[in-house]
PDB file of all heavy atoms in Angstrom:
ATOM      1  N   ARG A   1       7.765  11.933   3.170  1.00 93.00           N
ATOM      2  CA  ARG A   1       6.514  12.000   3.946  1.00 93.00           C
ATOM      3  C   ARG A   1       5.970  10.628   4.318  1.00 93.00           C
ATOM      4  O   ARG A   1       5.221  10.493   5.274  1.00 93.00           O
ATOM      5  CB  ARG A   1       5.425  12.716   3.144  1.00 93.00           C
ATOM      6  CG  ARG A   1       5.541  14.204   3.194  1.00 93.00           C
ATOM      7  CD  ARG A   1       4.350  14.806   2.493  1.00 93.00           C
ATOM      8  NE  ARG A   1       4.863  15.680   1.470  1.00 93.00           N
ATOM      9  CZ  ARG A   1       4.139  16.392   0.651  1.00 93.00           C
ATOM     10  NH1 ARG A   1       2.831  16.323   0.684  1.00 93.00           N
ATOM     11  NH2 ARG A   1       4.693  17.180  -0.235  1.00 93.00           N
ATOM     12  N   ALA A   2       6.300   9.626   3.525  1.00 96.00           N
ATOM     13  CA  ALA A   2       5.754   8.289   3.758  1.00 96.00           C
ATOM     14  C   ALA A   2       6.744   7.257   3.228  1.00 96.00           C
ATOM     15  O   ALA A   2       7.636   7.580   2.451  1.00 96.00           O
ATOM     16  CB  ALA A   2       4.408   8.123   3.052  1.00 96.00           C
ATOM     17  N   GLN A   3       6.550   6.005   3.662  1.00 96.00           N
ATOM     18  CA  GLN A   3       7.323   4.926   3.067  1.00 96.00           C
ATOM     19  C   GLN A   3       6.372   3.820   2.639  1.00 96.00           C
ATOM     20  O   GLN A   3       5.306   3.635   3.226  1.00 96.00           O
ATOM     21  CB  GLN A   3       8.420   4.415   3.982  1.00 96.00           C
ATOM     22  CG  GLN A   3       7.998   3.892   5.317  1.00 96.00           C
ATOM     23  CD  GLN A   3       9.203   3.390   6.112  1.00 96.00           C
ATOM     24  OE1 GLN A   3      10.036   2.646   5.590  1.00 96.00           O
ATOM     25  NE2 GLN A   3       9.295   3.781   7.360  1.00 96.00           N
ATOM     26  N   LEU A   4       6.763   3.154   1.560  1.00 97.00           N
ATOM     27  CA  LEU A   4       5.994   2.035   1.029  1.00 97.00           C
ATOM     28  C   LEU A   4       6.786   0.763   1.245  1.00 97.00           C
ATOM     29  O   LEU A   4       7.993   0.718   0.992  1.00 97.00           O
ATOM     30  CB  LEU A   4       5.744   2.212  -0.473  1.00 97.00           C
ATOM     31  CG  LEU A   4       4.955   3.437  -0.910  1.00 97.00           C
ATOM     32  CD1 LEU A   4       4.838   3.449  -2.432  1.00 97.00           C
ATOM     33  CD2 LEU A   4       3.586   3.460  -0.268  1.00 97.00           C
ATOM     34  N   TRP A   5       6.114  -0.279   1.706  1.00 97.00           N
ATOM     35  CA  TRP A   5       6.703  -1.606   1.871  1.00 97.00           C
ATOM     36  C   TRP A   5       5.933  -2.549   0.956  1.00 97.00           C
ATOM     37  O   TRP A   5       4.708  -2.642   1.040  1.00 97.00           O
ATOM     38  CB  TRP A   5       6.601  -2.068   3.321  1.00 97.00           C
ATOM     39  CG  TRP A   5       7.080  -3.470   3.546  1.00 97.00           C
ATOM     40  CD1 TRP A   5       8.319  -3.960   3.267  1.00 97.00           C
ATOM     41  CD2 TRP A   5       6.327  -4.563   4.081  1.00 97.00           C
ATOM     42  NE1 TRP A   5       8.380  -5.296   3.600  1.00 97.00           N
ATOM     43  CE2 TRP A   5       7.164  -5.685   4.103  1.00 97.00           C
ATOM     44  CE3 TRP A   5       5.021  -4.690   4.548  1.00 97.00           C
ATOM     45  CZ2 TRP A   5       6.746  -6.930   4.563  1.00 97.00           C
ATOM     46  CZ3 TRP A   5       4.605  -5.926   5.010  1.00 97.00           C
ATOM     47  CH2 TRP A   5       5.463  -7.028   5.015  1.00 97.00           C
ATOM     48  N   PHE A   6       6.647  -3.234   0.058  1.00 97.00           N
ATOM     49  CA  PHE A   6       6.038  -4.181  -0.879  1.00 97.00           C
ATOM     50  C   PHE A   6       5.907  -5.507  -0.140  1.00 97.00           C
ATOM     51  O   PHE A   6       6.866  -6.239   0.032  1.00 97.00           O
ATOM     52  CB  PHE A   6       6.924  -4.282  -2.119  1.00 97.00           C
ATOM     53  CG  PHE A   6       6.431  -5.214  -3.195  1.00 97.00           C
ATOM     54  CD1 PHE A   6       5.183  -5.810  -3.151  1.00 97.00           C
ATOM     55  CD2 PHE A   6       7.231  -5.476  -4.294  1.00 97.00           C
ATOM     56  CE1 PHE A   6       4.742  -6.663  -4.149  1.00 97.00           C
ATOM     57  CE2 PHE A   6       6.810  -6.325  -5.307  1.00 97.00           C
ATOM     58  CZ  PHE A   6       5.567  -6.922  -5.234  1.00 97.00           C
ATOM     59  N   ALA A   7       4.697  -5.812   0.334  1.00 96.00           N
ATOM     60  CA  ALA A   7       4.452  -7.001   1.146  1.00 96.00           C
ATOM     61  C   ALA A   7       4.490  -8.264   0.295  1.00 96.00           C
ATOM     62  O   ALA A   7       5.239  -9.193   0.573  1.00 96.00           O
ATOM     63  CB  ALA A   7       3.115  -6.882   1.868  1.00 96.00           C
ATOM     64  N   PHE A   8       3.644  -8.328  -0.736  1.00 93.00           N
ATOM     65  CA  PHE A   8       3.598  -9.492  -1.611  1.00 93.00           C
ATOM     66  C   PHE A   8       2.783  -9.160  -2.843  1.00 93.00           C
ATOM     67  O   PHE A   8       2.152  -8.119  -2.928  1.00 93.00           O
ATOM     68  CB  PHE A   8       3.002 -10.718  -0.889  1.00 93.00           C
ATOM     69  CG  PHE A   8       1.578 -10.523  -0.444  1.00 93.00           C
ATOM     70  CD1 PHE A   8       0.514 -10.858  -1.277  1.00 93.00           C
ATOM     71  CD2 PHE A   8       1.293 -10.002   0.804  1.00 93.00           C
ATOM     72  CE1 PHE A   8      -0.794 -10.660  -0.862  1.00 93.00           C
ATOM     73  CE2 PHE A   8      -0.019  -9.807   1.223  1.00 93.00           C
ATOM     74  CZ  PHE A   8      -1.062 -10.137   0.384  1.00 93.00           C
ATOM     75  N   ALA A   9       2.787 -10.089  -3.816  1.00 92.00           N
ATOM     76  CA  ALA A   9       1.990  -9.916  -5.023  1.00 92.00           C
ATOM     77  C   ALA A   9       1.320 -11.239  -5.358  1.00 92.00           C
ATOM     78  O   ALA A   9       1.850 -12.303  -5.067  1.00 92.00           O
ATOM     79  CB  ALA A   9       2.861  -9.466  -6.199  1.00 92.00           C
ATOM     80  N   ASP A  10       0.146 -11.152  -5.952  1.00 90.00           N
ATOM     81  CA  ASP A  10      -0.495 -12.331  -6.523  1.00 90.00           C
ATOM     82  C   ASP A  10      -0.882 -11.991  -7.963  1.00 90.00           C
ATOM     83  O   ASP A  10      -0.477 -10.948  -8.477  1.00 90.00           O
ATOM     84  CB  ASP A  10      -1.685 -12.800  -5.674  1.00 90.00           C
ATOM     85  CG  ASP A  10      -2.775 -11.746  -5.539  1.00 90.00           C
ATOM     86  OD1 ASP A  10      -2.875 -10.848  -6.402  1.00 90.00           O
ATOM     87  OD2 ASP A  10      -3.549 -11.824  -4.573  1.00 90.00           O
ATOM     88  N   GLU A  11      -1.674 -12.854  -8.590  1.00 87.00           N
ATOM     89  CA  GLU A  11      -1.963 -12.650 -10.015  1.00 87.00           C
ATOM     90  C   GLU A  11      -2.712 -11.344 -10.286  1.00 87.00           C
ATOM     91  O   GLU A  11      -2.649 -10.813 -11.389  1.00 87.00           O
ATOM     92  CB  GLU A  11      -2.730 -13.839 -10.604  1.00 87.00           C
ATOM     93  CG  GLU A  11      -4.045 -14.175  -9.916  1.00 87.00           C
ATOM     94  CD  GLU A  11      -3.873 -14.955  -8.616  1.00 87.00           C
ATOM     95  OE1 GLU A  11      -2.827 -15.586  -8.407  1.00 87.00           O
ATOM     96  OE2 GLU A  11      -4.802 -14.907  -7.799  1.00 87.00           O
ATOM     97  N   SER A  12      -3.409 -10.791  -9.290  1.00 89.00           N
ATOM     98  CA  SER A  12      -4.155  -9.552  -9.538  1.00 89.00           C
ATOM     99  C   SER A  12      -3.337  -8.295  -9.257  1.00 89.00           C
ATOM    100  O   SER A  12      -3.744  -7.205  -9.633  1.00 89.00           O
ATOM    101  CB  SER A  12      -5.454  -9.532  -8.722  1.00 89.00           C
ATOM    102  OG  SER A  12      -5.163  -9.515  -7.342  1.00 89.00           O
ATOM    103  N   GLY A  13      -2.186  -8.431  -8.599  1.00 92.00           N
ATOM    104  CA  GLY A  13      -1.345  -7.259  -8.370  1.00 92.00           C
ATOM    105  C   GLY A  13      -0.716  -7.262  -6.994  1.00 92.00           C
ATOM    106  O   GLY A  13      -0.889  -8.196  -6.208  1.00 92.00           O
ATOM    107  N   PRO A  14       0.033  -6.191  -6.674  1.00 96.00           N
ATOM    108  CA  PRO A  14       0.774  -6.136  -5.424  1.00 96.00           C
ATOM    109  C   PRO A  14      -0.071  -5.627  -4.253  1.00 96.00           C
ATOM    110  O   PRO A  14      -1.045  -4.897  -4.427  1.00 96.00           O
ATOM    111  CB  PRO A  14       1.892  -5.137  -5.727  1.00 96.00           C
ATOM    112  CG  PRO A  14       1.258  -4.189  -6.702  1.00 96.00           C
ATOM    113  CD  PRO A  14       0.331  -5.044  -7.536  1.00 96.00           C
ATOM    114  N   THR A  15       0.339  -6.013  -3.054  1.00 96.00           N
ATOM    115  CA  THR A  15      -0.173  -5.429  -1.821  1.00 96.00           C
ATOM    116  C   THR A  15       0.990  -4.695  -1.178  1.00 96.00           C
ATOM    117  O   THR A  15       2.065  -5.268  -0.994  1.00 96.00           O
ATOM    118  CB  THR A  15      -0.719  -6.504  -0.870  1.00 96.00           C
ATOM    119  OG1 THR A  15      -1.864  -7.111  -1.478  1.00 96.00           O
ATOM    120  CG2 THR A  15      -1.123  -5.901   0.470  1.00 96.00           C
ATOM    121  N   VAL A  16       0.785  -3.411  -0.887  1.00 97.00           N
ATOM    122  CA  VAL A  16       1.824  -2.603  -0.258  1.00 97.00           C
ATOM    123  C   VAL A  16       1.286  -2.038   1.049  1.00 97.00           C
ATOM    124  O   VAL A  16       0.081  -1.825   1.200  1.00 97.00           O
ATOM    125  CB  VAL A  16       2.321  -1.457  -1.172  1.00 97.00           C
ATOM    126  CG1 VAL A  16       2.975  -2.004  -2.420  1.00 97.00           C
ATOM    127  CG2 VAL A  16       1.208  -0.497  -1.522  1.00 97.00           C
ATOM    128  N   GLU A  17       2.200  -1.821   1.979  1.00 97.00           N
ATOM    129  CA  GLU A  17       1.847  -1.128   3.205  1.00 97.00           C
ATOM    130  C   GLU A  17       2.423   0.274   3.095  1.00 97.00           C
ATOM    131  O   GLU A  17       3.582   0.442   2.717  1.00 97.00           O
ATOM    132  CB  GLU A  17       2.431  -1.826   4.430  1.00 97.00           C
ATOM    133  CG  GLU A  17       2.072  -1.107   5.724  1.00 97.00           C
ATOM    134  CD  GLU A  17       2.774  -1.679   6.949  1.00 97.00           C
ATOM    135  OE1 GLU A  17       3.852  -2.285   6.792  1.00 97.00           O
ATOM    136  OE2 GLU A  17       2.249  -1.502   8.045  1.00 97.00           O
ATOM    137  N   ILE A  18       1.613   1.273   3.419  1.00 97.00           N
ATOM    138  CA  ILE A  18       2.103   2.642   3.455  1.00 97.00           C
ATOM    139  C   ILE A  18       2.159   3.069   4.923  1.00 97.00           C
ATOM    140  O   ILE A  18       1.241   2.793   5.691  1.00 97.00           O
ATOM    141  CB  ILE A  18       1.209   3.571   2.603  1.00 97.00           C
ATOM    142  CG1 ILE A  18       1.746   4.986   2.611  1.00 97.00           C
ATOM    143  CG2 ILE A  18      -0.233   3.530   3.029  1.00 97.00           C
ATOM    144  CD1 ILE A  18       1.146   5.870   1.556  1.00 97.00           C
ATOM    145  N   VAL A  19       3.285   3.663   5.314  1.00 96.00           N
ATOM    146  CA  VAL A  19       3.491   4.109   6.688  1.00 96.00           C
ATOM    147  C   VAL A  19       3.779   5.609   6.639  1.00 96.00           C
ATOM    148  O   VAL A  19       4.598   6.056   5.839  1.00 96.00           O
ATOM    149  CB  VAL A  19       4.679   3.366   7.345  1.00 96.00           C
ATOM    150  CG1 VAL A  19       4.900   3.856   8.775  1.00 96.00           C
ATOM    151  CG2 VAL A  19       4.447   1.860   7.326  1.00 96.00           C
ATOM    152  N   TRP A  20       3.095   6.372   7.496  1.00 95.00           N
ATOM    153  CA  TRP A  20       3.282   7.823   7.512  1.00 95.00           C
ATOM    154  C   TRP A  20       2.994   8.355   8.902  1.00 95.00           C
ATOM    155  O   TRP A  20       2.403   7.677   9.731  1.00 95.00           O
ATOM    156  CB  TRP A  20       2.393   8.486   6.456  1.00 95.00           C
ATOM    157  CG  TRP A  20       0.928   8.552   6.829  1.00 95.00           C
ATOM    158  CD1 TRP A  20       0.259   9.635   7.329  1.00 95.00           C
ATOM    159  CD2 TRP A  20      -0.046   7.510   6.741  1.00 95.00           C
ATOM    160  NE1 TRP A  20      -1.053   9.323   7.564  1.00 95.00           N
ATOM    161  CE2 TRP A  20      -1.269   8.014   7.209  1.00 95.00           C
ATOM    162  CE3 TRP A  20      -0.003   6.178   6.331  1.00 95.00           C
ATOM    163  CZ2 TRP A  20      -2.433   7.266   7.274  1.00 95.00           C
ATOM    164  CZ3 TRP A  20      -1.158   5.427   6.395  1.00 95.00           C
ATOM    165  CH2 TRP A  20      -2.354   5.961   6.846  1.00 95.00           C
ATOM    166  N   ASP A  21       3.408   9.590   9.160  1.00 91.00           N
ATOM    167  CA  ASP A  21       3.068  10.326  10.390  1.00 91.00           C
ATOM    168  C   ASP A  21       3.182   9.490  11.661  1.00 91.00           C
ATOM    169  O   ASP A  21       2.171   9.109  12.254  1.00 91.00           O
ATOM    170  CB  ASP A  21       1.652  10.896  10.297  1.00 91.00           C
ATOM    171  CG  ASP A  21       1.548  12.084   9.375  1.00 91.00           C
ATOM    172  OD1 ASP A  21       2.605  12.614   8.981  1.00 91.00           O
ATOM    173  OD2 ASP A  21       0.431  12.477   9.043  1.00 91.00           O
ATOM    174  N   LYS A  22       4.393   9.216  12.085  1.00 84.00           N
ATOM    175  CA  LYS A  22       4.627   8.566  13.381  1.00 84.00           C
ATOM    176  C   LYS A  22       3.871   7.250  13.553  1.00 84.00           C
ATOM    177  O   LYS A  22       3.189   7.027  14.547  1.00 84.00           O
ATOM    178  CB  LYS A  22       4.271   9.511  14.515  1.00 84.00           C
ATOM    179  CG  LYS A  22       5.100  10.785  14.518  1.00 84.00           C
ATOM    180  CD  LYS A  22       4.749  11.648  15.714  1.00 84.00           C
ATOM    181  CE  LYS A  22       5.540  12.932  15.706  1.00 84.00           C
ATOM    182  NZ  LYS A  22       4.966  13.981  14.897  1.00 84.00           N
ATOM    183  N   GLY A  23       3.927   6.406  12.547  1.00 87.00           N
ATOM    184  CA  GLY A  23       3.429   5.047  12.738  1.00 87.00           C
ATOM    185  C   GLY A  23       2.032   4.743  12.243  1.00 87.00           C
ATOM    186  O   GLY A  23       1.552   3.633  12.420  1.00 87.00           O
ATOM    187  N   ASN A  24       1.336   5.708  11.635  1.00 96.00           N
ATOM    188  CA  ASN A  24       0.072   5.361  10.980  1.00 96.00           C
ATOM    189  C   ASN A  24       0.391   4.433   9.819  1.00 96.00           C
ATOM    190  O   ASN A  24       1.393   4.600   9.139  1.00 96.00           O
ATOM    191  CB  ASN A  24      -0.645   6.605  10.445  1.00 96.00           C
ATOM    192  CG  ASN A  24      -1.194   7.470  11.550  1.00 96.00           C
ATOM    193  OD1 ASN A  24      -1.774   6.979  12.508  1.00 96.00           O
ATOM    194  ND2 ASN A  24      -0.993   8.762  11.432  1.00 96.00           N
ATOM    195  N   ASN A  25      -0.471   3.442   9.583  1.00 97.00           N
ATOM    196  CA  ASN A  25      -0.206   2.550   8.462  1.00 97.00           C
ATOM    197  C   ASN A  25      -1.502   2.050   7.846  1.00 97.00           C
ATOM    198  O   ASN A  25      -2.560   2.083   8.478  1.00 97.00           O
ATOM    199  CB  ASN A  25       0.683   1.378   8.872  1.00 97.00           C
ATOM    200  CG  ASN A  25      -0.055   0.392   9.748  1.00 97.00           C
ATOM    201  OD1 ASN A  25      -0.675   0.772  10.736  1.00 97.00           O
ATOM    202  ND2 ASN A  25      -0.001  -0.871   9.378  1.00 97.00           N
ATOM    203  N   GLN A  26      -1.399   1.629   6.601  1.00 97.00           N
ATOM    204  CA  GLN A  26      -2.545   1.104   5.856  1.00 97.00           C
ATOM    205  C   GLN A  26      -2.013   0.132   4.812  1.00 97.00           C
ATOM    206  O   GLN A  26      -1.035   0.425   4.129  1.00 97.00           O
ATOM    207  CB  GLN A  26      -3.287   2.258   5.168  1.00 97.00           C
ATOM    208  CG  GLN A  26      -4.454   1.824   4.303  1.00 97.00           C
ATOM    209  CD  GLN A  26      -5.072   2.987   3.519  1.00 97.00           C
ATOM    210  OE1 GLN A  26      -4.559   4.092   3.485  1.00 97.00           O
ATOM    211  NE2 GLN A  26      -6.184   2.714   2.868  1.00 97.00           N
ATOM    212  N   PHE A  27      -2.663  -1.045   4.707  1.00 97.00           N
ATOM    213  CA  PHE A  27      -2.331  -1.976   3.623  1.00 97.00           C
ATOM    214  C   PHE A  27      -3.227  -1.662   2.437  1.00 97.00           C
ATOM    215  O   PHE A  27      -4.429  -1.433   2.605  1.00 97.00           O
ATOM    216  CB  PHE A  27      -2.518  -3.432   4.068  1.00 97.00           C
ATOM    217  CG  PHE A  27      -1.375  -3.936   4.891  1.00 97.00           C
ATOM    218  CD1 PHE A  27      -1.374  -3.787   6.263  1.00 97.00           C
ATOM    219  CD2 PHE A  27      -0.278  -4.544   4.282  1.00 97.00           C
ATOM    220  CE1 PHE A  27      -0.306  -4.248   7.036  1.00 97.00           C
ATOM    221  CE2 PHE A  27       0.790  -5.000   5.047  1.00 97.00           C
ATOM    222  CZ  PHE A  27       0.771  -4.851   6.421  1.00 97.00           C
ATOM    223  N   VAL A  28      -2.642  -1.629   1.240  1.00 97.00           N
ATOM    224  CA  VAL A  28      -3.355  -1.257   0.030  1.00 97.00           C
ATOM    225  C   VAL A  28      -3.120  -2.328  -1.027  1.00 97.00           C
ATOM    226  O   VAL A  28      -1.980  -2.677  -1.326  1.00 97.00           O
ATOM    227  CB  VAL A  28      -2.871   0.116  -0.502  1.00 97.00           C
ATOM    228  CG1 VAL A  28      -3.580   0.485  -1.783  1.00 97.00           C
ATOM    229  CG2 VAL A  28      -3.062   1.199   0.554  1.00 97.00           C
ATOM    230  N   LYS A  29      -4.202  -2.840  -1.601  1.00 97.00           N
ATOM    231  CA  LYS A  29      -4.129  -3.800  -2.710  1.00 97.00           C
ATOM    232  C   LYS A  29      -4.273  -3.017  -4.005  1.00 97.00           C
ATOM    233  O   LYS A  29      -5.237  -2.276  -4.189  1.00 97.00           O
ATOM    234  CB  LYS A  29      -5.278  -4.822  -2.565  1.00 97.00           C
ATOM    235  CG  LYS A  29      -5.399  -5.771  -3.714  1.00 97.00           C
ATOM    236  CD  LYS A  29      -4.292  -6.780  -3.679  1.00 97.00           C
ATOM    237  CE  LYS A  29      -4.523  -7.810  -4.759  1.00 97.00           C
ATOM    238  NZ  LYS A  29      -3.320  -8.578  -5.001  1.00 97.00           N
ATOM    239  N   LEU A  30      -3.301  -3.156  -4.895  1.00 97.00           N
ATOM    240  CA  LEU A  30      -3.349  -2.464  -6.191  1.00 97.00           C
ATOM    241  C   LEU A  30      -3.687  -3.477  -7.271  1.00 97.00           C
ATOM    242  O   LEU A  30      -3.026  -4.500  -7.398  1.00 97.00           O
ATOM    243  CB  LEU A  30      -1.995  -1.806  -6.483  1.00 97.00           C
ATOM    244  CG  LEU A  30      -1.544  -0.755  -5.462  1.00 97.00           C
ATOM    245  CD1 LEU A  30      -0.155  -0.258  -5.797  1.00 97.00           C
ATOM    246  CD2 LEU A  30      -2.532   0.392  -5.390  1.00 97.00           C
ATOM    247  N   GLU A  31      -4.737  -3.188  -8.032  1.00 94.00           N
ATOM    248  CA  GLU A  31      -5.161  -4.096  -9.093  1.00 94.00           C
ATOM    249  C   GLU A  31      -5.242  -3.333 -10.406  1.00 94.00           C
ATOM    250  O   GLU A  31      -5.829  -2.253 -10.467  1.00 94.00           O
ATOM    251  CB  GLU A  31      -6.522  -4.709  -8.759  1.00 94.00           C
ATOM    252  CG  GLU A  31      -6.492  -5.533  -7.485  1.00 94.00           C
ATOM    253  CD  GLU A  31      -7.803  -6.246  -7.224  1.00 94.00           C
ATOM    254  OE1 GLU A  31      -8.185  -7.093  -8.045  1.00 94.00           O
ATOM    255  OE2 GLU A  31      -8.442  -5.943  -6.211  1.00 94.00           O
ATOM    256  N   GLY A  32      -4.652  -3.920 -11.443  1.00 91.00           N
ATOM    257  CA  GLY A  32      -4.690  -3.291 -12.762  1.00 91.00           C
ATOM    258  C   GLY A  32      -4.142  -1.878 -12.707  1.00 91.00           C
ATOM    259  O   GLY A  32      -3.141  -1.617 -12.051  1.00 91.00           O
ATOM    260  N   GLU A  33      -4.821  -0.951 -13.390  1.00 91.00           N
ATOM    261  CA  GLU A  33      -4.379   0.441 -13.395  1.00 91.00           C
ATOM    262  C   GLU A  33      -5.297   1.311 -12.558  1.00 91.00           C
ATOM    263  O   GLU A  33      -5.338   2.527 -12.715  1.00 91.00           O
ATOM    264  CB  GLU A  33      -4.310   0.951 -14.834  1.00 91.00           C
ATOM    265  CG  GLU A  33      -3.258   0.227 -15.654  1.00 91.00           C
ATOM    266  CD  GLU A  33      -3.210   0.698 -17.104  1.00 91.00           C
ATOM    267  OE1 GLU A  33      -3.972   1.613 -17.460  1.00 91.00           O
ATOM    268  OE2 GLU A  33      -2.407   0.149 -17.870  1.00 91.00           O
ATOM    269  N   GLU A  34      -6.036   0.676 -11.630  1.00 94.00           N
ATOM    270  CA  GLU A  34      -6.960   1.413 -10.776  1.00 94.00           C
ATOM    271  C   GLU A  34      -6.173   2.210  -9.733  1.00 94.00           C
ATOM    272  O   GLU A  34      -5.306   1.676  -9.050  1.00 94.00           O
ATOM    273  CB  GLU A  34      -7.877   0.408 -10.077  1.00 94.00           C
ATOM    274  CG  GLU A  34      -8.924   1.025  -9.195  1.00 94.00           C
ATOM    275  CD  GLU A  34      -9.790  -0.048  -8.541  1.00 94.00           C
ATOM    276  OE1 GLU A  34     -10.002  -1.112  -9.156  1.00 94.00           O
ATOM    277  OE2 GLU A  34     -10.241   0.189  -7.410  1.00 94.00           O
ATOM    278  N   SER A  35      -6.478   3.509  -9.599  1.00 97.00           N
ATOM    279  CA  SER A  35      -5.829   4.356  -8.600  1.00 97.00           C
ATOM    280  C   SER A  35      -6.519   4.183  -7.255  1.00 97.00           C
ATOM    281  O   SER A  35      -7.738   4.066  -7.187  1.00 97.00           O
ATOM    282  CB  SER A  35      -5.891   5.828  -9.013  1.00 97.00           C
ATOM    283  OG  SER A  35      -5.124   6.033 -10.175  1.00 97.00           O
ATOM    284  N   VAL A  36      -5.716   4.165  -6.183  1.00 97.00           N
ATOM    285  CA  VAL A  36      -6.254   4.017  -4.842  1.00 97.00           C
ATOM    286  C   VAL A  36      -5.834   5.238  -4.023  1.00 97.00           C
ATOM    287  O   VAL A  36      -4.645   5.515  -3.879  1.00 97.00           O
ATOM    288  CB  VAL A  36      -5.725   2.730  -4.168  1.00 97.00           C
ATOM    289  CG1 VAL A  36      -6.235   2.633  -2.728  1.00 97.00           C
ATOM    290  CG2 VAL A  36      -6.118   1.505  -4.963  1.00 97.00           C
ATOM    291  N   GLU A  37      -6.822   5.972  -3.520  1.00 97.00           N
ATOM    292  CA  GLU A  37      -6.536   7.081  -2.613  1.00 97.00           C
ATOM    293  C   GLU A  37      -6.356   6.508  -1.221  1.00 97.00           C
ATOM    294  O   GLU A  37      -7.232   5.807  -0.725  1.00 97.00           O
ATOM    295  CB  GLU A  37      -7.679   8.093  -2.623  1.00 97.00           C
ATOM    296  CG  GLU A  37      -7.753   8.908  -3.895  1.00 97.00           C
ATOM    297  CD  GLU A  37      -8.802  10.012  -3.810  1.00 97.00           C
ATOM    298  OE1 GLU A  37      -9.081  10.500  -2.697  1.00 97.00           O
ATOM    299  OE2 GLU A  37      -9.333  10.357  -4.864  1.00 97.00           O
ATOM    300  N   THR A  38      -5.224   6.795  -0.580  1.00 96.00           N
ATOM    301  CA  THR A  38      -4.941   6.222   0.727  1.00 96.00           C
ATOM    302  C   THR A  38      -5.261   7.222   1.836  1.00 96.00           C
ATOM    303  O   THR A  38      -5.384   8.422   1.588  1.00 96.00           O
ATOM    304  CB  THR A  38      -3.465   5.791   0.831  1.00 96.00           C
ATOM    305  OG1 THR A  38      -2.645   6.967   0.866  1.00 96.00           O
ATOM    306  CG2 THR A  38      -3.061   4.903  -0.337  1.00 96.00           C
TER     307      THR A  38
END
């Protein structure tokens, strides 16, 4: 349904791009164990 691209990481965690549904995309910063609803 979607693909994740691991863009980069810094000391607080990774930034990933999620791509879904014919080219919709969103960059998401993940920090610690916090869940992010995309």
Side-chain angles (χ1 to χ4, degrees):
R1 279 186 235 180
Q3 58 179 312
L4 299 179
W5 175 58
F6 180 8
F8 62 90
D10 60 23
E11 57 281 339
S12 64
T15 294
V16 297
E17 180 187 25
I18 182 166
V19 179
W20 75 100
D21 286 348
K22 299 183 182 84
N24 290 316
N25 72 309
Q26 177 186 8
F27 281 89
V28 178
K29 174 73 174 164
L30 300 176
E31 298 185 63
E33 295 178 2
E34 182 180 328
S35 294
V36 177
E37 288 186 28
T38 70

